[in-house]
Amino acid sequence: MSVMKRLSGIVQAKANKALDKAENPADMLDLTYEKQLENLQKVRRALADVATAKKRLELQANDLKTQADKLQSQAKQALSQGQEDLAREALARRATIGEQLEGLGTQHQQVDAQQAQLTQTSQRLSAQIESFRTKKETMKATYQASKAEAGVGEAVSGISESMTDAGMTMQRAQDKIAQMQARSAAVDELLTSGALPDITGSAPDDIQQQLNAASAQSDVDAQLAAMKAELASSAPEALPASSAGASAPAGSADDIAEASVETSDGAGQ
Amino acid sequence: MIVRILGDRLYDVSDRDLPGIERLDTDMDTALKAGDEPAFSAALAELIAKVRSTASALADDDDRKSDLVIPPEGATLQEVRDILDAGV
């Protein structure tokens, strides 16, 4: 059976159900008008909710992009240090972020579409309210003069259908907002659980710590190599003096090496 | 024939254009029954495009009732199925 006919039956039935049954047409007109105003308020609130949800999505996407760029450069740095496993880890995390970003992008498009439909709905309702405000007074006057229904039923049922449409559009927008909030929460959860690195920048992430440790280690290696070369080129009689002179830097190199071990231990926790 | 696109507006479809619109409605129904999402999306998009390009849009403040209702633009098969199944 025709989708359009079935949908029409559902919309008409919803619209009839939403109609305020009043004692007389004059009251029915006033009640319908009040409902229109309420309906418009709701649509405007839904529009504000969509804007808020969209903003959050955009901020999150920006954070994720920054993080993806950072992981990309960390992968390069790890590779240049010969740490292929670390580079692989950074790229794997970057891929996870890529998936999240793609999901956020799709949702952003959907929310854009909802925003456009709500904006359209809001404009249409405003125009209908404006026109019905004067029309209902004319209808009331006609009713009082002739006691004829004067097309009241027809007018309010059309308006009720329009409000039903607005209600369905709002419902759809709210569903999309809820889906979007669920995704935002999931991204937050991933970030805080450590499945993705901390993007607040408050603490160095574990990949950065390993990169720092490796670079500290290579500094130590370079210093040791330099000292060995210096010792080798020194005259044997100068040994005690230069070994005393070399003991301080050697000690501090040990400290650095220890600090690196601590840092990488800390990252493992 | 007055047609409403949900989330959009009312359109007046001429008798001449009605058969083409009904054909797309049938495509949409077939896809809905088969659970064929791509075919459903394509039929809905084409239907909306056809109505917008051939029918005349009614003024924003027109408060007539419609004869036929088209799902909102971008609605998924599941969304439409949910509306139809939930009823009133």
Side-chain angles (χ1 to χ4, degrees):
Chain A
M1 189 191 165
S2 157
V3 173
M4 297 196 298
K5 278 183 190 153
R6 275 155 76 197
L7 201 49
S8 175
I10 284 167
V11 169
Q12 302 305 342
K14 273 181 196 277
N16 284 337
K17 208 175 156 189
L19 269 185
D20 284 297
K21 301 284 182 267
E23 284 287 312
N24 65 63
D27 288 349
M28 198 158 176
L29 290 167
D30 286 335
L31 285 171
T32 302
Y33 181 68
E34 275 168 33
K35 203 167 223 173
Q36 273 186 309
L37 292 175
E38 249 174 60
N39 204 237
L40 181 60
Q41 283 306 314
K42 281 188 198 161
V43 170
R44 286 183 174 157
R45 271 201 297 274
L47 262 172
D49 289 346
V50 167
T52 307
K54 226 173 109 175
K55 189 79 207 158
R56 185 178 176 201
L57 205 73
E58 282 161 9
L59 290 173
Q60 230 174 6
N62 278 342
D63 283 350
L64 287 177
K65 274 185 206 129
T66 307
Q67 194 59 34
D69 291 346
K70 186 177 166 192
L71 283 163
Q72 174 83 9
S73 67
Q74 284 178 331
K76 273 188 197 151
Q77 198 185 339
L79 213 51
S80 73
Q81 289 178 354
Q83 302 199 75
E84 198 173 325
D85 284 349
L86 193 59
R88 197 180 293 279
E89 173 63 21
L91 289 176
R93 287 185 194 180
R94 192 175 178 277
T96 308
I97 289 178
E99 283 164 24
Q100 292 297 331
L101 267 173
E102 208 172 301
L104 289 183
T106 308
Q107 245 157 351
H108 196 270
Q109 281 175 5
Q110 288 177 351
V111 169
D112 268 348
Q114 298 309 309
Q115 197 174 29
Q117 289 182 6
L118 280 174
T119 305
Q120 171 100 348
T121 299
S122 157
Q123 280 168 10
R124 215 185 56 226
L125 287 177
S126 299
Q128 285 174 357
I129 287 171
E130 193 51 36
S131 132
F132 189 61
R133 192 162 53 98
T134 47
K135 198 170 165 183
K136 77 180 172 70
E137 295 311 321
T138 314
M139 283 181 168
K140 271 195 223 172
T142 312
Y143 172 71
Q144 267 140 19
S146 64
K147 294 290 165 196
E149 289 273 330
V152 169
E154 189 62 28
V156 293
S157 62
I159 284 171
S160 190
E161 180 189 314
S162 184
M163 287 194 280
T164 299
D165 181 358
M168 291 169 86
T169 304
M170 278 188 276
Q171 184 58 54
R172 218 167 148 250
Q174 273 150 8
D175 290 348
K176 299 283 178 210
I177 290 173
Q179 285 169 14
M180 200 164 71
Q181 283 167 340
R183 181 173 285 275
S184 285
V187 170
D188 280 346
E189 176 73 16
L190 268 174
L191 291 168
T192 51
S193 71
L196 292 177
D198 178 22
I199 55 164
T200 60
S202 57
D205 59 77
D206 55 343
I207 290 183
Q208 196 55 50
Q209 284 175 353
Q210 288 186 56
L211 289 171
N212 292 347
S215 106
Q217 187 57 50
S218 75
D219 281 354
V220 169
D221 291 345
Q223 282 182 45
L224 283 173
M227 281 171 203
K228 280 178 190 162
E230 197 182 320
L231 286 172
S233 65
S234 301
E237 58 268 30
L239 247 181
S242 51
S243 73
S247 70
S252 62
D254 281 350
D255 288 346
I256 294 168
E258 270 174 35
S260 316
V261 170
E262 272 170 27
T263 329
S264 38
D265 281 354
Q269 282 165 9
Chain B
M1 186 78 80
I2 308 289
V3 173
R4 176 185 294 280
I5 300 176
L6 287 175
D8 184 10
R9 57 167 64 241
L10 293 172
Y11 294 87
D12 193 354
V13 175
S14 73
D15 291 346
R16 184 174 43 104
D17 295 321
L18 205 55
I21 283 166
E22 281 171 344
R23 203 190 58 242
L24 288 166
D25 186 18
T26 307
D27 289 351
M28 202 161 62
D29 187 45
T30 308
L32 192 72
K33 284 189 182 117
D36 187 344
E37 180 75 63
F40 180 83
S41 301
L44 176 59
E46 204 183 329
L47 177 61
I48 290 175
K50 197 171 181 68
V51 169
R52 283 183 182 155
S53 63
T54 59
S56 48
L58 298 187
D60 276 346
D61 65 354
D62 198 311
D63 56 18
R64 268 181 282 175
K65 277 171 73 173
S66 63
D67 304 299
L68 292 170
V69 176
I70 296 176
E73 187 171 26
T76 63
L77 185 149
Q78 193 55 49
E79 280 172 328
V80 174
R81 194 176 267 171
D82 287 347
I83 295 172
L84 294 174
D85 289 350
V88 183

